[in-house]
């Protein structure tokens, strides 16, 4: 029997252990006979003819019963994302992977909440749980019809840390901070599950394990995680939701971690399953199993790759879309070759079945949540919740007494900008059931129409050779672009600048965007979208003032793309196609209507000008594409300046999915409000905030840097050494982590320690009711190891009326001050003084005190013990690599003279011998004291090994006995891999 919480869970690693036979069939049948539950009724009947259909039995009993009834072929068939029906047992098909990042996606119209980064900006776990519950309800509502793509295993939330704001998927994550990410993901996950681990509303899966924060070469780049970064930072974001039973598994990421593909990361078993007693269903990312034998070239065959993934902790393979055949063939081949045993299959299938049992699939009527029907989808209650979430998510960045606006005296308003009268959706968004744009919301608030302009140029492209114009079709389906003598609206296009040189072209003839359909360029898209976003172009200005029209769909950057990218006539009728640059048409760009002039005309003389600028989420960085810069599009920046010059009473709304450098605009304009793409209620939320019916209280969940130059390479994952995030960044940010303004003010007094944490008195000292996000940070004054400048330990969003005071209690224990001790590979709380700081952001500290903590002192290193090379204190010119293909991390030298530091080592009366396990080419390991160029006391030499996974032990007598307490440095030659070593 499997043992776990409430009789439902799995074995922890080290109890029974993955892959070990449990003699299931014999045990199951014996239990079934004792209980009198052997099948006596037709398959599929509601009466519990089988134990697995008896809701009164513990989950583990039901899983064991069902597993014992399945044939090996049936069990293998369940390992693919698309699990087939098993009619003889009355079991329906099952599918993992319904997207539910900020609402149910890809199934049709549904409530669309703000993007994940916006939801987290509420700093409101209670609201997040409500949103999660609504999304879970709507996923259940779709269950009644089981549309294509349906499933109750939800692939959400994304808990990858927003370490680098240039990450293309920034919109999908919550925060750069693991504590905040853990709190928000736990709340959202609790809502998705229904809060009852034994009876799941849905089964949320955390994405993407582990350290997935770059899209460039995402399947072949390796995220180097030294132990402190792995435990204190990346793992810390995933652990809370799993521990709280607010998640039912993880999805492995595309990247490699320390040289090993995440698809075969043994931590999914060894670490993640140890965080809970519940069964977890771990899945691969789409097509990731194939990457093991494809561009990663980690295994020669899919059978070997799938076997390794299964043993590492994967239970369900997302590969080859809806076709399970390759996976089934690979698993059967692995069984035949002895790479897998049936017990390995049983282990994975038991995890899958446990989730299906807990979802109520085998209960009468679908179990506790089975009655939820389609009426919940986009219900009035969910619409109200979407408005509340969009309102709470917005962050007031600047306010020179320009806000709030007065609805009675400032009715004569113009709302301008490329996002003034449209709402965009992202790749993982549901279909908007309706759209309240910023213009719509403000007009509804004022009860009158408002002036508006998108502020984009309308142009005509004239071929300088033929004199003909590029023209488009007039109906909704558009037509292939061609050149003709037509000079009407068919020859006019609105140009939207999205930055980095990318523009989209919207046909004035039908209001549709121009895109490529693999053969022609057609104006038929309502908005840019699709996997390759084939509505992207560049207008390349030439020295003579003419322009080339360059196609810039994402596929043009793929290694398999071989077509030219410039446009020119390709047929007798002038139809445009792709041609070589030499054959490309040269165009004059005739401005039919100036967007800036139109916007300026709209705002002149108005009481207020509201400019809405930002991003198109399919273009400004997205899955598979990182951002190349963090600035606002040049044309948008110029628009804001022109509007502000024309009307000094200008309020700027920045609507995008990531921190923006904003240039000098943040100094020039009187008010700045940031919101993510906030869903169907965006306009109403903005109107409530701008006119003071709601008081802004969102807070930034990331550091907003002043310049791209503040950041190192996006591939550098060592936040400690590279000084990333508010925890280690020593520069001056544009806006700090936790930052956000209000229309009122708050005073903090009386910060003191109480049982279980700290309390501080917060008073609303302004004239408006408002929410304050009280944030508690700590800093360790002295430590053996480099410590964060500040670290968030608790927070609470509180609502206060004018003059109202409240004592806010923030839970923090001494154990929460622990960091990872690399000398002994365990968590440690050091004795010492810790600063405790409460405030409105990480840089706006309003109250502070000191906490004397009695912990322990990290002793000097003892390198006479076998020491793993990865447990260094500092390094240079090294990479972390896979010690073997199954587990372990080694250190590889990227250049001659690469070094590793092992600080504060006690060598005692003297070490006389050095030994190390090394692999790779011939080379040396030098032992030096004090610095990388310090006293050389020994050199070990290797003649090389056949492969980087074949290790040999090398030794060296220390010519001068290494004595006392000092820093030890190991200096490596290029290509050498070091696994373990000792000095004795």
């Amino acid at each position: 029997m499997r043992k776990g919480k409430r009789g439902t869970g799995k074995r922890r690693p080290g109890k029974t252990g993955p892959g070990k036979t449990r003699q299931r069939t014999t045990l199951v049948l014996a239990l079934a006979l004792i209980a009198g539950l052997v099948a006596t009724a037709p398959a599929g009947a509601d009466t519990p003819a089988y134990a697995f259909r008896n809701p009164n039995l513990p989950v583990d009993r039901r899983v064991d019963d069902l597993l014992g009834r399945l044939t090996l072929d049936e069990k293998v068939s369940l390992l693919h994302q698309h699990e087939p029906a098993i009619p003889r047992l009355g079991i329906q098909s099952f599918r993992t992977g319904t997207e539910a990042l900020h609402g149910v996606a890809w199934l049709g119209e549904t409530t669309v909440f703000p993007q994940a980064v916006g939801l987290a900006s509420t700093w409101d776990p209670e609201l997040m749980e409500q949103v999660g519950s609504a999304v879970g309800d709507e996923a259940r509502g779709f269950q009644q019809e089981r549309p294509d793509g349906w499933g109750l295993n939800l692939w959400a939330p994304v808990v990858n840390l927003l370490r680098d704001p240039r990450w293309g998927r920034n919109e999908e994550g919550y925060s750069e901070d693991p504590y905040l990410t853990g709190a928000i993901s736990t709340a959202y996950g609790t809502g998705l599950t229904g809060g009852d681990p034994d009876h799941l509303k849905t089964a949320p899966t955390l994405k993407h394990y582990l350290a997935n924060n770059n899209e460039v070469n995402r399947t072949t780049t390796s995220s180097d995680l030294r132990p402190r970064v792995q435990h204190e930072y990346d793992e810390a974001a995933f652990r809370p939701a799993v521990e709280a039973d607010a998640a039912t598994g993880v999805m492995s990421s595309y990247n490699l971690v320390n040289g090993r593909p995440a698809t075969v990361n043994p931590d999914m078993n060894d670490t993640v399953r140890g965080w809970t007693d519940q069964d977890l269903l771990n899945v691969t990312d789409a097509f990731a199993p194939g990457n093991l034998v494809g561009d990663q070239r980690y295994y020669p065959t899919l059978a070997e790759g799938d076997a390794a993934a299964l043993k590492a902790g994967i239970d369900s393979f997302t590969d080859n879309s809806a076709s399970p055949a390759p996976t089934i063939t690979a698993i059967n081949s692995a069984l035949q070759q002895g790479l897998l045993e049936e017990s390995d299959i049983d282990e994975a299938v038991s995890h899958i079945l446990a989730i299906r049992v807990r979802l109520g699939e085998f209960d009468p009527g679908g179990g506790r949540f089975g009655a939820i029907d389609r009426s919940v989808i986009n219900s009035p209650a969910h619409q109200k919740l979407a408005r509340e979430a969009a309102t709470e998510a917005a962050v007031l960045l600047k306010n020179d007494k320009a806000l709030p606006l007065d609805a009675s005296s400032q009715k004569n308003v113009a709302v301008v900008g490329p996002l003034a009268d449209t709402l965009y959706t992202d790749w993982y968004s549901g279909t908007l059931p309706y759209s309240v744009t910023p213009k719509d919301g403000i007009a509804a608030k004022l009860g009158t129409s408002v002036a508006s302009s998108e502020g984009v140029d309308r142009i005509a492209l004239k071929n300088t050779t033929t004199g003909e114009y590029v023209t488009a079709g007039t109906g909704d389906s558009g037509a292939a672009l061609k050149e003709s003598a037509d000079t009407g609206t068919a020859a006019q296009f609105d140009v939207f600048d999205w930055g980095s040189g990318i523009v989209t072209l919207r046909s004035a003839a039908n209001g549709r965007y121009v895109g490529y359909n693999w053969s022609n360029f057609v104006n038929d898209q309502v908005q840019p979208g699709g996997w390759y976003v084939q509505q992207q172009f560049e207008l390349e200005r030439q020295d003579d003032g003419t322009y080339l029209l360059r196609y810039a769909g994402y596929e043009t950057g793929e290694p398999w793309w071989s077509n030219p990218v410039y446009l020119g006539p390709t047929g007798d009728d002038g139809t445009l196609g792709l041609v070589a640059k030499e054959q490309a048409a040269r165009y004059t760009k005739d401005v039919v209507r100036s967007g800036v002039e139109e916007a300026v005309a709209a705002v002149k003389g108005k009481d207020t000008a509201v400019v809405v600028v930002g991003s198109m989420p399919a273009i400004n960085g997205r899955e598979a594409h990182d951002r190349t810069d963090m600035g606002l599009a040049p044309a948008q920046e110029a628009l804001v300046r022109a509007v502000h010059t024309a009307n000094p009473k200008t309020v700027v709304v920045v609507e995008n999915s990531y921190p923006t450098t904003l240039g000098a605009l943040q100094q020039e304009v009187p008010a700045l409000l940031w919101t993510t793409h906030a869903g169907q209620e965006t306009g109403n939320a903005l109107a409530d905030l701008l006119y003071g019916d709601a008081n802004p209280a969102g807070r930034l969940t990331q550091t907003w840097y002043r310049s791209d130059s503040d950041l190192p390479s996006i591939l550098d994952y060592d936040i400690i050494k590279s000084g990333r995030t508010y925890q280690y960044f020593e520069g001056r940010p544009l806006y700090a982590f936790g930052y956000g303004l209000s229309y009122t003010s708050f005073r903090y007094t009386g910060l003191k320690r109480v049982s279980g944490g700290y309390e501080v008195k917060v008073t609303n000292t302004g004239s408006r009711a408002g929410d304050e996000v009280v944030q508690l940070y700590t800093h360790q004054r002295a430590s053996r190891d480099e410590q964060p400048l500040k670290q968030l330990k608790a927070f609470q969003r509180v609502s206060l009326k004018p003059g109202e005071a409240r004592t806010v209690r923030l839970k923090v224990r001494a154990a929460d001050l622990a960091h990872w001790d690399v000398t002994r590979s365990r968590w440690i709380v050091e004795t010492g003084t810790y600063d405790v700081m409460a405030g409105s952001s990480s840089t706006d500290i309003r109250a502070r005190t000191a906490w004397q903590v009695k912990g322990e002192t990290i002793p000097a290193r003892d390198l006479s013990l076998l020491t793993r090379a990865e447990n260094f204190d500092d390094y240079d010119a090294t990479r972390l690599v896979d010690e073997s293909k199954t587990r372990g991390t080694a250190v590889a030298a990227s250049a001659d003279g690469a070094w590793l530091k092992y600080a504060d080592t006690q060598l005692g009366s003297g070490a006389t011998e050095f030994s190390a396990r090394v692999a790779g080419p011939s080379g040396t390991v030098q032992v030096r004291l004090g610095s990388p160029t310090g006293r050389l006391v020994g050199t070990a030499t290797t003649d090389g090994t056949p492969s980087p996974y074949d290790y040999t032990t090398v030794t060296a007598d220390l010519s001068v006995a290494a004595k006392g307490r000092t820093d030890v440095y190991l200096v490596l030659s290029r290509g050498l891999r070091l696994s373990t070593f000792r000095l004795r």
Side-chain angles (χ1 to χ4, degrees):
M1 294 295 292
R2 291 175 298 140
K3 186 178 181 181
K5 292 181 184 177
R6 308 174 190 87
T8 66
K10 57 162 258 310
R11 302 119 353 269
R12 290 182 182 272
K15 292 183 181 179
T16 303
K20 295 185 179 179
T21 304
R22 288 177 282 155
Q23 302 297 326
R24 281 182 176 275
T25 303
T26 302
L27 177 60
V28 166
L29 291 178
L31 290 170
L33 287 169
I34 292 170
L37 294 170
V38 178
T40 57
D46 285 338
T47 55
Y50 301 128
F52 76 84
R53 291 194 176 278
N54 188 341
N56 297 316
L57 292 177
V59 173
D60 61 325
R61 284 275 305 279
R62 299 174 70 182
V63 170
D64 287 340
D65 175 73
L66 178 51
L67 190 69
R69 299 182 188 282
L70 298 175
T71 66
L72 178 58
D73 285 345
E74 289 170 338
K75 287 184 288 190
V76 170
S77 75
L78 299 180
L79 298 178
H80 189 263
Q81 178 188 26
H82 292 263
E83 302 174 26
I86 303 176
R88 69 182 186 85
L89 294 174
I91 296 174
Q92 289 185 288
S93 61
F94 184 86
R95 182 186 188 273
T96 63
T98 294
E99 301 291 352
L101 186 59
H102 53 110
V104 181
W106 304 355
L107 298 183
E109 291 186 356
T110 183
T111 309
V112 178
F113 294 94
Q115 291 176 309
V117 69
L119 289 172
S121 299
T122 67
W123 290 61
D124 190 342
E126 183 178 345
L127 176 67
M128 282 296 294
E129 184 172 342
Q130 294 174 34
V131 172
S133 182
V135 176
D137 284 346
E138 297 201 8
R140 278 281 177 174
F142 282 109
Q143 177 189 8
Q144 305 301 333
E145 298 177 3
R146 296 175 66 88
D148 182 47
W150 164 89
L152 291 177
N153 172 239
L154 306 186
W155 286 356
V158 171
V159 298
N160 293 114
L161 292 163
L162 304 184
R163 167 197 63 102
D164 193 307
R166 296 168 298 189
W167 185 36
R169 304 180 75 168
N170 195 86
E171 68 202 36
E172 298 181 38
Y174 290 137
S175 171
E176 68 182 34
D177 181 74
Y179 178 82
L180 179 58
T181 296
I184 296 296
S185 60
T186 297
Y188 189 65
T190 298
L192 291 175
T193 64
D196 179 354
D198 292 347
H199 302 90
L200 297 171
K201 182 187 295 184
T202 65
T205 302
L206 304 182
K207 301 195 314 188
H208 311 80
Y209 194 85
L210 185 69
N212 179 192
N213 190 228
N214 65 272
E215 296 301 291
V216 57
N217 300 324
R218 62 180 179 167
T219 63
T220 55
T221 55
S222 180
S223 305
D224 284 13
L225 301 183
R226 59 197 283 195
R228 280 195 64 196
V229 174
Q230 177 164 338
H231 294 299
E232 295 175 24
Y233 192 64
D234 287 280
E235 284 181 358
F238 282 82
R239 183 169 185 163
V242 175
E243 280 191 331
D245 294 328
T248 60
V250 299
M251 172 189 284
S252 61
S253 53
Y254 284 122
N255 55 288
L256 292 78
V257 176
N258 296 345
R260 182 180 296 107
T263 308
V264 292
N265 185 347
D267 288 352
M268 287 182 289
N269 263 343
D270 300 345
T271 300
V272 178
R273 293 197 194 276
W275 294 336
T276 178
D277 285 332
Q278 292 285 357
D279 273 287
L280 298 178
L281 165 54
N282 295 333
V283 306
T284 74
D285 209 334
F287 303 100
N291 292 336
L292 292 170
V293 298
D295 51 11
Q296 292 171 342
R297 299 179 183 175
Y298 206 69
Y299 290 100
T301 67
L302 190 59
E304 291 168 275
D306 283 3
L310 206 69
K311 284 180 173 290
I314 290 295
D315 304 306
S316 179
F317 293 84
T318 314
D319 208 6
N320 301 289
S321 299
S323 174
T327 297
I328 292 172
T329 299
I331 295 295
N332 283 329
S333 177
L335 286 166
Q336 293 164 8
Q337 295 177 57
L339 301 173
L340 291 173
E341 298 177 0
E342 186 170 356
S343 59
D344 296 313
I345 309 300
D346 287 350
E347 190 72 28
V349 173
S350 72
H351 300 151
I352 296 167
L353 295 180
I355 299 302
R356 294 179 66 170
V357 167
R358 290 158 63 195
L359 283 168
E361 179 180 345
F362 309 125
D363 292 356
R368 175 179 170 182
F369 300 101
I372 298 175
D373 61 25
R374 191 175 177 83
S375 65
V376 301
I377 298 174
N378 192 39
S379 65
H382 291 180
Q383 294 173 12
K384 180 181 178 182
L385 185 62
R387 182 169 181 167
E388 182 181 357
T391 304
E392 284 201 17
V395 181
L396 183 60
L397 298 177
K398 181 181 180 181
N399 187 22
D400 288 346
K401 300 181 180 179
L403 293 173
L405 304 174
D406 189 328
S408 61
S409 64
Q410 292 174 295
K411 283 183 174 290
N412 191 13
V413 176
V415 185
V416 301
L419 283 82
D421 197 26
T422 190
L423 296 184
Y424 289 120
T425 55
D426 59 55
W427 180 248
Y428 288 106
S429 173
T431 302
L432 292 169
Y434 59 86
S435 299
V436 182
T437 69
K439 175 190 171 186
D440 294 337
I442 291 173
K445 176 71 64 179
L446 298 177
T448 183
S449 61
V450 297
S452 186
S453 165
E454 291 177 308
V456 300
D457 287 346
R458 177 164 289 183
I459 67 168
L461 296 172
K462 180 181 179 181
N463 189 314
T464 59
T465 301
T466 66
E468 294 191 326
Y469 288 86
V470 176
T471 59
T474 57
D476 286 347
S477 58
L481 296 194
K482 64 180 181 179
E483 291 184 0
S484 75
D486 191 340
T487 59
T489 57
Q492 298 174 10
F493 300 89
D494 298 324
V495 183
F496 292 80
D497 178 14
W498 300 116
S500 301
I502 300 298
V503 301
T504 53
L505 302 173
R506 188 181 64 194
S507 170
N510 67 353
R512 300 294 177 96
Y513 286 87
V514 175
Y516 184 53
N517 62 9
W518 301 102
S519 57
N520 294 116
F521 292 92
V522 181
N523 58 316
D524 62 350
Q525 298 299 304
V526 174
Q527 70 167 255
W531 179 250
Y532 291 116
V533 194
Q534 296 177 298
Q535 299 80 36
Q536 301 182 83
F537 299 89
E538 294 182 53
L539 285 166
E540 292 187 354
R541 193 176 191 278
Q542 305 302 296
D543 292 340
D544 62 0
T546 63
Y547 290 84
L548 299 183
L549 184 56
R550 183 182 188 277
Y551 174 56
Y554 284 143
E555 76 272 26
T556 61
E558 296 288 342
W560 46 263
W561 178 267
S562 59
N563 294 334
V565 294
Y566 290 91
L567 273 67
T570 57
D572 294 339
D573 64 348
T575 298
L576 293 184
L578 293 172
V579 298
K581 187 173 184 178
E582 309 82 70
Q583 284 79 50
R586 287 179 176 253
Y587 296 104
T588 59
K589 186 177 73 172
D590 302 336
V591 178
V592 178
R593 183 187 68 204
S594 166
V596 167
E597 291 178 2
E598 184 183 71
V600 165
V603 303
K604 277 186 175 179
K606 297 296 190 295
D607 297 330
T608 305
V610 178
V611 190
V612 190
V613 293
S615 70
M616 198 287 134
I619 293 173
N620 294 79
R622 198 211 67 180
E623 182 173 356
H625 299 275
D626 295 315
R627 270 176 298 286
T628 56
D629 68 72
M630 296 187 293
L632 196 64
Q636 295 188 31
E637 190 167 338
L639 173 68
V640 172
R641 284 200 168 93
V643 168
H644 181 229
T645 299
N647 189 330
K649 298 178 181 179
T650 293
V651 173
V652 178
V653 176
V654 179
E655 185 180 331
N656 64 16
S657 315
Y658 48 86
T660 308
T661 50
L662 290 179
L665 283 184
Q666 57 90 25
Q667 296 179 342
E668 297 172 6
V669 298
L672 274 171
L673 182 71
W674 174 81
T675 179
T676 189
H677 295 280
Q680 62 205 55
E681 287 286 341
T682 297
N684 284 331
L686 288 176
D688 288 343
L689 291 161
L690 294 175
Y691 284 90
D693 291 327
N695 194 339
R699 299 292 184 264
L700 298 179
T701 67
Q702 294 177 264
T703 301
W704 282 43
Y705 298 95
R706 292 181 176 274
S707 168
D708 295 351
S709 63
D710 287 332
L711 292 167
S713 166
I714 196 173
L715 300 179
D716 186 343
Y717 277 75
D718 189 347
I719 66 165
I720 300 174
K721 192 174 178 72
S722 65
R724 281 179 182 269
T725 80
Y726 81 95
Q727 292 191 25
Y728 294 97
F729 180 62
E730 295 184 343
R732 188 165 65 95
L734 179 66
Y735 297 113
F737 172 82
Y739 174 85
L741 300 178
S742 172
Y743 295 153
T744 189
S745 56
F746 301 93
R747 182 177 64 240
Y748 289 60
T749 54
L751 177 63
K752 64 181 180 181
R753 179 147 183 81
V754 295
S755 177
Y758 279 82
E759 68 177 25
V760 63
K761 185 178 180 181
V762 181
T763 305
N764 183 343
T765 56
S767 59
R768 288 176 174 268
D771 287 6
E772 172 69 331
V773 178
V774 183
Q775 303 164 41
L776 188 78
Y777 297 87
T778 63
H779 168 67
Q780 186 174 343
R781 291 184 184 177
S783 173
R784 177 200 181 277
D785 303 307
E786 183 175 357
Q787 293 296 324
L789 303 171
K790 290 186 184 75
Q791 201 167 12
L792 182 70
K793 295 298 181 182
F795 67 90
Q796 189 174 336
R797 181 165 173 151
V798 295
S799 299
L800 297 173
K801 298 175 183 177
E804 182 182 2
R806 183 177 304 173
T807 297
V808 179
R809 289 207 167 194
L810 300 157
K811 295 180 180 179
V812 59
R813 308 162 300 157
D816 297 328
L817 305 175
H819 76 277
W820 188 258
D821 174 18
V822 294
T823 71
R824 294 172 293 175
S825 295
R826 65 178 176 87
W827 292 99
I828 170 76
V829 176
E830 289 183 282
T831 296
T833 303
Y834 294 74
D835 294 314
V836 179
M837 299 159 280
S840 192
S841 80
S842 59
T843 57
D844 185 4
I845 301 302
R846 311 285 183 84
R848 64 176 66 229
T849 187
W851 186 5
Q852 302 298 325
V853 176
K854 184 177 181 181
E856 56 182 301
T857 299
I858 299 175
R861 277 188 184 269
D862 182 359
L863 296 183
S864 68
L865 302 174
L866 189 66
T867 300
R868 296 202 61 81
E870 65 181 306
N871 287 323
F872 49 74
D873 290 291
D874 199 3
Y875 61 95
D876 183 64
T878 62
R879 295 297 307 269
L880 292 168
V881 295
D882 49 338
E883 183 178 10
S884 73
K885 289 196 172 185
T886 54
R887 56 181 21 87
T889 297
V891 180
S894 303
D896 287 331
W899 54 261
L900 300 169
K901 176 184 178 180
Y902 301 89
D904 191 27
T905 295
Q906 178 58 263
L907 297 173
S909 58
T912 59
E913 183 185 74
F914 169 74
S915 63
R917 287 185 72 241
V918 298
S922 60
T924 61
V925 183
Q926 296 179 345
V927 183
R928 292 182 178 269
L929 305 182
S931 78
T933 57
R935 185 163 58 113
L936 176 65
V937 297
T939 301
T941 302
T942 174
D943 294 330
T945 63
S947 85
Y949 302 120
D950 290 325
Y951 285 82
T952 185
T953 299
V954 296
T955 61
D957 292 331
L958 303 185
S959 57
V960 178
K963 299 179 181 180
R965 193 163 177 171
T966 186
D967 296 338
V968 173
Y969 286 80
L970 302 183
V971 182
L972 313 177
S973 56
R974 182 184 180 88
L976 201 63
R977 289 188 173 204
L978 176 63
S979 170
T980 59
F981 71 95
R982 69 196 328 164
L983 285 164
R984 57 185 175 181

